[in-house]
mmCIF file of all heavy atoms in Angstrom:
data_model
loop_
_atom_site.group_PDB
_atom_site.id
_atom_site.type_symbol
_atom_site.label_atom_id
_atom_site.label_comp_id
_atom_site.label_asym_id
_atom_site.label_seq_id
_atom_site.Cartn_x
_atom_site.Cartn_y
_atom_site.Cartn_z
ATOM 1 N N GLY V 1 0.773 -1.226 0.000
ATOM 2 C CA GLY V 1 0.000 0.000 0.000
ATOM 3 C C GLY V 1 0.807 1.278 0.000
ATOM 4 O O GLY V 1 0.234 2.370 -0.099
ATOM 5 N N GLY V 2 2.115 1.174 0.114
ATOM 6 C CA GLY V 2 2.939 2.367 0.090
ATOM 7 C C GLY V 2 2.989 2.985 -1.292
ATOM 8 O O GLY V 2 2.562 2.391 -2.279
ATOM 9 N N GLY V 3 3.510 4.188 -1.356
ATOM 10 C CA GLY V 3 3.613 4.873 -2.629
ATOM 11 C C GLY V 3 3.918 6.336 -2.463
ATOM 12 O O GLY V 3 4.313 6.793 -1.386
ATOM 13 N N LEU V 4 3.735 7.069 -3.545
ATOM 14 C CA LEU V 4 3.986 8.502 -3.588
ATOM 15 C C LEU V 4 2.667 9.248 -3.564
ATOM 16 O O LEU V 4 1.756 8.938 -4.339
ATOM 17 C CB LEU V 4 4.775 8.859 -4.849
ATOM 18 C CG LEU V 4 5.033 10.338 -5.119
ATOM 19 C CD1 LEU V 4 5.901 10.943 -4.024
ATOM 20 C CD2 LEU V 4 5.686 10.512 -6.485
ATOM 21 N N VAL V 5 2.566 10.216 -2.683
ATOM 22 C CA VAL V 5 1.341 10.995 -2.552
ATOM 23 C C VAL V 5 1.708 12.441 -2.225
ATOM 24 O O VAL V 5 2.733 12.706 -1.601
ATOM 25 C CB VAL V 5 0.424 10.395 -1.461
ATOM 26 C CG1 VAL V 5 1.091 10.474 -0.091
ATOM 27 C CG2 VAL V 5 -0.932 11.068 -1.442
ATOM 28 N N GLN V 6 0.875 13.353 -2.662
ATOM 29 C CA GLN V 6 1.097 14.757 -2.348
ATOM 30 C C GLN V 6 0.648 15.084 -0.933
ATOM 31 O O GLN V 6 -0.207 14.399 -0.358
ATOM 32 C CB GLN V 6 0.348 15.659 -3.330
ATOM 33 C CG GLN V 6 0.943 15.703 -4.718
ATOM 34 C CD GLN V 6 0.350 16.810 -5.564
ATOM 35 O OE1 GLN V 6 -0.843 17.098 -5.482
ATOM 36 N NE2 GLN V 6 1.186 17.436 -6.375
ATOM 37 N N ALA V 7 1.240 16.104 -0.373
ATOM 38 C CA ALA V 7 0.845 16.555 0.953
ATOM 39 C C ALA V 7 -0.657 16.796 1.009
ATOM 40 O O ALA V 7 -1.239 17.377 0.092
ATOM 41 C CB ALA V 7 1.605 17.814 1.339
ATOM 42 N N GLY V 8 -1.266 16.334 2.087
ATOM 43 C CA GLY V 8 -2.701 16.439 2.241
ATOM 44 C C GLY V 8 -3.460 15.225 1.762
ATOM 45 O O GLY V 8 -4.663 15.103 2.042
ATOM 46 N N GLY V 9 -2.788 14.332 1.066
ATOM 47 C CA GLY V 9 -3.422 13.145 0.536
ATOM 48 C C GLY V 9 -3.498 12.019 1.544
ATOM 49 O O GLY V 9 -3.146 12.173 2.717
ATOM 50 N N SER V 10 -3.948 10.862 1.057
ATOM 51 C CA SER V 10 -4.169 9.708 1.919
ATOM 52 C C SER V 10 -3.584 8.445 1.312
ATOM 53 O O SER V 10 -3.467 8.315 0.090
ATOM 54 C CB SER V 10 -5.665 9.485 2.158
ATOM 55 O OG SER V 10 -6.265 10.600 2.791
ATOM 56 N N LEU V 11 -3.213 7.522 2.173
ATOM 57 C CA LEU V 11 -2.782 6.187 1.788
ATOM 58 C C LEU V 11 -3.284 5.199 2.825
ATOM 59 O O LEU V 11 -3.449 5.552 3.999
ATOM 60 C CB LEU V 11 -1.265 6.076 1.697
ATOM 61 C CG LEU V 11 -0.548 6.659 0.481
ATOM 62 C CD1 LEU V 11 0.961 6.564 0.683
ATOM 63 C CD2 LEU V 11 -0.959 5.940 -0.790
ATOM 64 N N ARG V 12 -3.491 3.970 2.390
ATOM 65 C CA ARG V 12 -3.887 2.901 3.285
ATOM 66 C C ARG V 12 -2.882 1.767 3.173
ATOM 67 O O ARG V 12 -2.733 1.159 2.114
ATOM 68 C CB ARG V 12 -5.284 2.393 2.948
ATOM 69 C CG ARG V 12 -5.808 1.304 3.892
ATOM 70 C CD ARG V 12 -7.224 0.899 3.500
ATOM 71 N NE ARG V 12 -7.748 -0.218 4.269
ATOM 72 C CZ ARG V 12 -8.354 -0.114 5.441
ATOM 73 N NH1 ARG V 12 -8.505 1.077 6.001
ATOM 74 N NH2 ARG V 12 -8.816 -1.200 6.051
ATOM 75 N N LEU V 13 -2.193 1.503 4.259
ATOM 76 C CA LEU V 13 -1.221 0.425 4.308
ATOM 77 C C LEU V 13 -1.862 -0.837 4.861
ATOM 78 O O LEU V 13 -2.733 -0.774 5.728
ATOM 79 C CB LEU V 13 -0.024 0.801 5.182
ATOM 80 C CG LEU V 13 0.718 2.095 4.839
ATOM 81 C CD1 LEU V 13 1.919 2.259 5.766
ATOM 82 C CD2 LEU V 13 1.145 2.115 3.385
ATOM 83 N N SER V 14 -1.412 -1.973 4.354
ATOM 84 C CA SER V 14 -1.866 -3.260 4.842
ATOM 85 C C SER V 14 -0.670 -4.113 5.215
ATOM 86 O O SER V 14 0.398 -4.000 4.617
ATOM 87 C CB SER V 14 -2.695 -3.993 3.779
ATOM 88 O OG SER V 14 -3.836 -3.253 3.414
ATOM 89 N N CYS V 15 -0.850 -4.962 6.183
ATOM 90 C CA CYS V 15 0.171 -5.916 6.573
ATOM 91 C C CYS V 15 -0.501 -7.250 6.816
ATOM 92 O O CYS V 15 -1.312 -7.379 7.744
ATOM 93 C CB CYS V 15 0.919 -5.450 7.821
ATOM 94 S SG CYS V 15 2.176 -6.626 8.388
ATOM 95 N N ALA V 16 -0.174 -8.217 5.990
ATOM 96 C CA ALA V 16 -0.762 -9.541 6.084
ATOM 97 C C ALA V 16 0.200 -10.493 6.779
ATOM 98 O O ALA V 16 1.351 -10.638 6.363
ATOM 99 C CB ALA V 16 -1.110 -10.067 4.695
ATOM 100 N N ALA V 17 -0.273 -11.133 7.816
ATOM 101 C CA ALA V 17 0.519 -12.096 8.562
ATOM 102 C C ALA V 17 0.154 -13.509 8.139
ATOM 103 O O ALA V 17 -1.006 -13.806 7.843
ATOM 104 C CB ALA V 17 0.303 -11.931 10.067
ATOM 105 N N SER V 18 1.143 -14.365 8.105
ATOM 106 C CA SER V 18 0.920 -15.768 7.817
ATOM 107 C C SER V 18 1.782 -16.612 8.747
ATOM 108 O O SER V 18 2.703 -16.113 9.388
ATOM 109 C CB SER V 18 1.234 -16.091 6.354
ATOM 110 O OG SER V 18 2.590 -15.813 6.046
ATOM 111 N N GLY V 19 1.480 -17.882 8.809
ATOM 112 C CA GLY V 19 2.176 -18.763 9.722
ATOM 113 C C GLY V 19 1.361 -18.951 10.986
ATOM 114 O O GLY V 19 0.175 -19.247 10.926
ATOM 115 N N ARG V 20 2.007 -18.745 12.125
ATOM 116 C CA ARG V 20 1.349 -18.943 13.413
ATOM 117 C C ARG V 20 0.545 -17.703 13.815
ATOM 118 O O ARG V 20 0.786 -17.091 14.862
ATOM 119 C CB ARG V 20 2.388 -19.289 14.473
ATOM 120 C CG ARG V 20 3.117 -20.610 14.209
ATOM 121 C CD ARG V 20 4.286 -20.804 15.163
ATOM 122 N NE ARG V 20 3.870 -20.874 16.549
ATOM 123 C CZ ARG V 20 3.534 -21.981 17.204
ATOM 124 N NH1 ARG V 20 3.565 -23.155 16.574
ATOM 125 N NH2 ARG V 20 3.171 -21.931 18.475
ATOM 126 N N THR V 21 -0.418 -17.336 12.980
ATOM 127 C CA THR V 21 -1.199 -16.124 13.235
ATOM 128 C C THR V 21 -2.078 -16.248 14.466
ATOM 129 O O THR V 21 -2.482 -15.232 15.042
ATOM 130 C CB THR V 21 -2.055 -15.768 12.015
ATOM 131 O OG1 THR V 21 -2.909 -16.873 11.696
ATOM 132 C CG2 THR V 21 -1.177 -15.444 10.817
ATOM 133 N N PHE V 22 -2.360 -17.454 14.873
ATOM 134 C CA PHE V 22 -3.180 -17.664 16.064
ATOM 135 C C PHE V 22 -2.464 -17.224 17.337
ATOM 136 O O PHE V 22 -3.092 -17.104 18.386
ATOM 137 C CB PHE V 22 -3.592 -19.132 16.184
ATOM 138 C CG PHE V 22 -2.445 -20.095 16.119
ATOM 139 C CD1 PHE V 22 -1.703 -20.386 17.247
ATOM 140 C CD2 PHE V 22 -2.101 -20.700 14.918
ATOM 141 C CE1 PHE V 22 -0.640 -21.266 17.191
ATOM 142 C CE2 PHE V 22 -1.035 -21.588 14.847
ATOM 143 C CZ PHE V 22 -0.303 -21.868 15.988
ATOM 144 N N SER V 23 -1.170 -17.016 17.241
ATOM 145 C CA SER V 23 -0.374 -16.635 18.400
ATOM 146 C C SER V 23 -0.166 -15.125 18.531
ATOM 147 O O SER V 23 0.549 -14.684 19.429
ATOM 148 C CB SER V 23 0.992 -17.324 18.356
ATOM 149 O OG SER V 23 1.780 -16.849 17.286
ATOM 150 N N ILE V 24 -0.787 -14.331 17.677
ATOM 151 C CA ILE V 24 -0.570 -12.882 17.685
ATOM 152 C C ILE V 24 -1.137 -12.249 18.949
ATOM 153 O O ILE V 24 -2.290 -12.466 19.302
ATOM 154 C CB ILE V 24 -1.188 -12.224 16.438
ATOM 155 C CG1 ILE V 24 -0.468 -12.694 15.182
ATOM 156 C CG2 ILE V 24 -1.122 -10.702 16.549
ATOM 157 C CD1 ILE V 24 -1.114 -12.224 13.895
ATOM 158 N N ASN V 25 -0.312 -11.462 19.586
ATOM 159 C CA ASN V 25 -0.718 -10.689 20.748
ATOM 160 C C ASN V 25 -0.944 -9.223 20.392
ATOM 161 O O ASN V 25 -1.913 -8.607 20.822
ATOM 162 C CB ASN V 25 0.345 -10.807 21.839
ATOM 163 C CG ASN V 25 0.062 -9.924 23.036
ATOM 164 O OD1 ASN V 25 0.556 -8.791 23.108
ATOM 165 N ND2 ASN V 25 -0.729 -10.438 23.971
ATOM 166 N N THR V 26 -0.023 -8.656 19.599
ATOM 167 C CA THR V 26 -0.086 -7.258 19.209
ATOM 168 C C THR V 26 0.459 -7.104 17.796
ATOM 169 O O THR V 26 1.409 -7.783 17.424
ATOM 170 C CB THR V 26 0.746 -6.376 20.158
ATOM 171 O OG1 THR V 26 0.348 -6.606 21.508
ATOM 172 C CG2 THR V 26 0.577 -4.897 19.828
ATOM 173 N N MET V 27 -0.137 -6.212 17.023
ATOM 174 C CA MET V 27 0.433 -5.810 15.742
ATOM 175 C C MET V 27 0.605 -4.302 15.750
ATOM 176 O O MET V 27 -0.256 -3.579 16.242
ATOM 177 C CB MET V 27 -0.434 -6.254 14.570
ATOM 178 C CG MET V 27 -0.453 -7.761 14.375
ATOM 179 S SD MET V 27 -1.260 -8.306 12.837
ATOM 180 C CE MET V 27 -0.014 -7.835 11.615
ATOM 181 N N GLY V 28 1.720 -3.864 15.207
ATOM 182 C CA GLY V 28 2.022 -2.448 15.234
ATOM 183 C C GLY V 28 2.684 -1.960 13.970
ATOM 184 O O GLY V 28 3.092 -2.746 13.112
ATOM 185 N N TRP V 29 2.769 -0.648 13.871
ATOM 186 C CA TRP V 29 3.438 0.026 12.767
ATOM 187 C C TRP V 29 4.524 0.932 13.312
ATOM 188 O O TRP V 29 4.297 1.684 14.270
ATOM 189 C CB TRP V 29 2.463 0.866 11.941
ATOM 190 C CG TRP V 29 1.506 0.078 11.109
ATOM 191 C CD1 TRP V 29 0.236 -0.268 11.424
ATOM 192 C CD2 TRP V 29 1.758 -0.455 9.811
ATOM 193 N NE1 TRP V 29 -0.336 -0.979 10.402
ATOM 194 C CE2 TRP V 29 0.577 -1.112 9.401
ATOM 195 C CE3 TRP V 29 2.855 -0.436 8.944
ATOM 196 C CZ2 TRP V 29 0.475 -1.753 8.161
ATOM 197 C CZ3 TRP V 29 2.754 -1.075 7.724
ATOM 198 C CH2 TRP V 29 1.572 -1.718 7.349
ATOM 199 N N PHE V 30 5.678 0.862 12.688
ATOM 200 C CA PHE V 30 6.792 1.757 12.960
ATOM 201 C C PHE V 30 7.252 2.355 11.644
ATOM 202 O O PHE V 30 6.945 1.843 10.572
ATOM 203 C CB PHE V 30 7.944 1.012 13.633
ATOM 204 C CG PHE V 30 7.654 0.576 15.038
ATOM 205 C CD1 PHE V 30 6.831 -0.511 15.290
ATOM 206 C CD2 PHE V 30 8.210 1.248 16.117
ATOM 207 C CE1 PHE V 30 6.557 -0.917 16.581
ATOM 208 C CE2 PHE V 30 7.952 0.849 17.417
ATOM 209 C CZ PHE V 30 7.125 -0.227 17.655
ATOM 210 N N ARG V 31 8.006 3.439 11.720
ATOM 211 C CA ARG V 31 8.546 4.033 10.506
ATOM 212 C C ARG V 31 9.964 4.512 10.743
ATOM 213 O O ARG V 31 10.358 4.818 11.866
ATOM 214 C CB ARG V 31 7.668 5.188 10.014
ATOM 215 C CG ARG V 31 7.620 6.395 10.944
ATOM 216 C CD ARG V 31 6.581 7.394 10.450
ATOM 217 N NE ARG V 31 6.555 8.601 11.254
ATOM 218 C CZ ARG V 31 5.670 9.577 11.111
ATOM 219 N NH1 ARG V 31 4.719 9.488 10.177
ATOM 220 N NH2 ARG V 31 5.724 10.655 11.895
ATOM 221 N N GLN V 32 10.714 4.579 9.659
ATOM 222 C CA GLN V 32 12.102 4.989 9.750
ATOM 223 C C GLN V 32 12.488 5.790 8.517
ATOM 224 O O GLN V 32 12.394 5.302 7.393
ATOM 225 C CB GLN V 32 13.018 3.773 9.892
ATOM 226 C CG GLN V 32 14.461 4.117 10.185
ATOM 227 C CD GLN V 32 15.253 2.909 10.631
ATOM 228 O OE1 GLN V 32 14.891 1.771 10.338
ATOM 229 N NE2 GLN V 32 16.335 3.137 11.352
ATOM 230 N N ALA V 33 12.902 7.024 8.743
ATOM 231 C CA ALA V 33 13.403 7.885 7.688
ATOM 232 C C ALA V 33 14.921 7.748 7.620
ATOM 233 O O ALA V 33 15.559 7.363 8.606
ATOM 234 C CB ALA V 33 12.999 9.333 7.943
ATOM 235 N N PRO V 34 15.527 8.067 6.471
ATOM 236 C CA PRO V 34 16.988 7.963 6.363
ATOM 237 C C PRO V 34 17.700 8.763 7.441
ATOM 238 O O PRO V 34 17.382 9.923 7.681
ATOM 239 C CB PRO V 34 17.271 8.527 4.967
ATOM 240 C CG PRO V 34 16.013 8.276 4.206
ATOM 241 C CD PRO V 34 14.909 8.467 5.207
ATOM 242 N N GLY V 35 18.654 8.126 8.094
ATOM 243 C CA GLY V 35 19.416 8.785 9.129
ATOM 244 C C GLY V 35 18.703 8.922 10.457
ATOM 245 O O GLY V 35 19.266 9.502 11.393
ATOM 246 N N GLN V 36 17.493 8.401 10.551
ATOM 247 C CA GLN V 36 16.712 8.500 11.772
ATOM 248 C C GLN V 36 16.535 7.126 12.405
ATOM 249 O O GLN V 36 16.658 6.096 11.742
ATOM 250 C CB GLN V 36 15.336 9.113 11.493
ATOM 251 C CG GLN V 36 15.362 10.459 10.814
ATOM 252 C CD GLN V 36 15.899 11.551 11.715
ATOM 253 O OE1 GLN V 36 15.685 11.525 12.931
ATOM 254 N NE2 GLN V 36 16.597 12.513 11.133
ATOM 255 N N GLU V 37 16.241 7.129 13.671
ATOM 256 C CA GLU V 37 15.945 5.873 14.338
ATOM 257 C C GLU V 37 14.512 5.462 14.049
ATOM 258 O O GLU V 37 13.666 6.291 13.689
ATOM 259 C CB GLU V 37 16.186 5.987 15.842
ATOM 260 C CG GLU V 37 15.224 6.912 16.566
ATOM 261 C CD GLU V 37 15.499 6.973 18.063
ATOM 262 O OE1 GLU V 37 16.638 6.691 18.465
ATOM 263 O OE2 GLU V 37 14.570 7.287 18.826
ATOM 264 N N ARG V 38 14.243 4.189 14.187
ATOM 265 C CA ARG V 38 12.902 3.691 13.965
ATOM 266 C C ARG V 38 11.973 4.219 15.058
ATOM 267 O O ARG V 38 12.274 4.120 16.244
ATOM 268 C CB ARG V 38 12.904 2.170 13.947
ATOM 269 C CG ARG V 38 11.605 1.551 13.492
ATOM 270 C CD ARG V 38 11.787 0.075 13.157
ATOM 271 N NE ARG V 38 12.738 -0.112 12.069
ATOM 272 C CZ ARG V 38 12.998 -1.285 11.511
ATOM 273 N NH1 ARG V 38 12.371 -2.381 11.929
ATOM 274 N NH2 ARG V 38 13.896 -1.362 10.534
ATOM 275 N N GLU V 39 10.841 4.779 14.650
ATOM 276 C CA GLU V 39 9.929 5.363 15.614
ATOM 277 C C GLU V 39 8.552 4.714 15.555
ATOM 278 O O GLU V 39 8.085 4.262 14.505
ATOM 279 C CB GLU V 39 9.805 6.880 15.406
ATOM 280 C CG GLU V 39 9.079 7.294 14.149
ATOM 281 C CD GLU V 39 8.823 8.790 14.086
ATOM 282 O OE1 GLU V 39 9.102 9.499 15.077
ATOM 283 O OE2 GLU V 39 8.334 9.264 13.036
ATOM 284 N N PHE V 40 7.918 4.715 16.681
ATOM 285 C CA PHE V 40 6.594 4.140 16.818
ATOM 286 C C PHE V 40 5.553 4.991 16.109
ATOM 287 O O PHE V 40 5.597 6.218 16.157
ATOM 288 C CB PHE V 40 6.249 4.013 18.303
ATOM 289 C CG PHE V 40 4.832 3.625 18.571
ATOM 290 C CD1 PHE V 40 4.401 2.329 18.345
ATOM 291 C CD2 PHE V 40 3.926 4.547 19.059
ATOM 292 C CE1 PHE V 40 3.093 1.957 18.592
ATOM 293 C CE2 PHE V 40 2.622 4.190 19.319
ATOM 294 C CZ PHE V 40 2.202 2.894 19.083
ATOM 295 N N VAL V 41 4.595 4.339 15.457
ATOM 296 C CA VAL V 41 3.494 5.019 14.794
ATOM 297 C C VAL V 41 2.166 4.672 15.460
ATOM 298 O O VAL V 41 1.455 5.549 15.951
ATOM 299 C CB VAL V 41 3.430 4.673 13.297
ATOM 300 C CG1 VAL V 41 2.218 5.336 12.645
ATOM 301 C CG2 VAL V 41 4.714 5.098 12.595
ATOM 302 N N ALA V 42 1.827 3.398 15.462
ATOM 303 C CA ALA V 42 0.547 2.960 16.013
ATOM 304 C C ALA V 42 0.606 1.474 16.302
ATOM 305 O O ALA V 42 1.419 0.744 15.733
ATOM 306 C CB ALA V 42 -0.606 3.264 15.046
ATOM 307 N N ALA V 43 -0.267 1.012 17.179
ATOM 308 C CA ALA V 43 -0.345 -0.404 17.502
ATOM 309 C C ALA V 43 -1.755 -0.751 17.934
ATOM 310 O O ALA V 43 -2.533 0.126 18.338
ATOM 311 C CB ALA V 43 0.652 -0.773 18.601
ATOM 312 N N ILE V 44 -2.067 -2.028 17.851
ATOM 313 C CA ILE V 44 -3.371 -2.518 18.268
ATOM 314 C C ILE V 44 -3.201 -3.869 18.930
ATOM 315 O O ILE V 44 -2.485 -4.728 18.431
ATOM 316 C CB ILE V 44 -4.358 -2.574 17.074
ATOM 317 C CG1 ILE V 44 -5.768 -2.925 17.543
ATOM 318 C CG2 ILE V 44 -3.872 -3.543 16.005
ATOM 319 C CD1 ILE V 44 -6.833 -2.668 16.478
ATOM 320 N N THR V 45 -3.828 -4.051 20.066
ATOM 321 C CA THR V 45 -3.803 -5.342 20.728
ATOM 322 C C THR V 45 -4.828 -6.254 20.078
ATOM 323 O O THR V 45 -5.899 -5.811 19.650
ATOM 324 C CB THR V 45 -4.083 -5.218 22.232
ATOM 325 O OG1 THR V 45 -5.389 -4.652 22.438
ATOM 326 C CG2 THR V 45 -3.038 -4.340 22.906
ATOM 327 N N TRP V 46 -4.479 -7.532 19.983
ATOM 328 C CA TRP V 46 -5.299 -8.443 19.194
ATOM 329 C C TRP V 46 -6.609 -8.813 19.853
ATOM 330 O O TRP V 46 -7.659 -8.793 19.229
ATOM 331 C CB TRP V 46 -4.490 -9.689 18.850
ATOM 332 C CG TRP V 46 -4.702 -10.112 17.444
ATOM 333 C CD1 TRP V 46 -5.145 -11.323 17.003
ATOM 334 C CD2 TRP V 46 -4.491 -9.316 16.278
ATOM 335 N NE1 TRP V 46 -5.228 -11.327 15.649
ATOM 336 C CE2 TRP V 46 -4.828 -10.112 15.164
ATOM 337 C CE3 TRP V 46 -4.041 -8.001 16.065
ATOM 338 C CZ2 TRP V 46 -4.747 -9.631 13.859
ATOM 339 C CZ3 TRP V 46 -3.968 -7.531 14.777
ATOM 340 C CH2 TRP V 46 -4.315 -8.346 13.689
#
């Protein structure tokens, strides 16, 4: 779902899990810009 968008626009990201999905406790999103540390964006408890 990533891509190029102009300021003010919208995007919808998806993350599909496979394997032992029955064991999921939490899923989250982080982001990292060049030269920056990975930062927290959002999370949801299962």
Side-chain angles (χ1 to χ4, degrees):
L4 175 64
V5 64
Q6 288 192 323
S10 299
L11 283 174
R12 183 178 175 86
L13 305 183
S14 300
C15 178
S18 61
R20 297 171 62 90
T21 57
F22 53 84
S23 67
I24 295 173
N25 175 266
T26 306
M27 292 189 73
W29 289 96
F30 291 76
R31 66 188 184 186
Q32 188 167 23
Q36 304 291 326
E37 67 179 24
R38 190 165 299 186
E39 70 172 354
F40 171 74
V41 177
I44 187 166
T45 61
W46 222 237

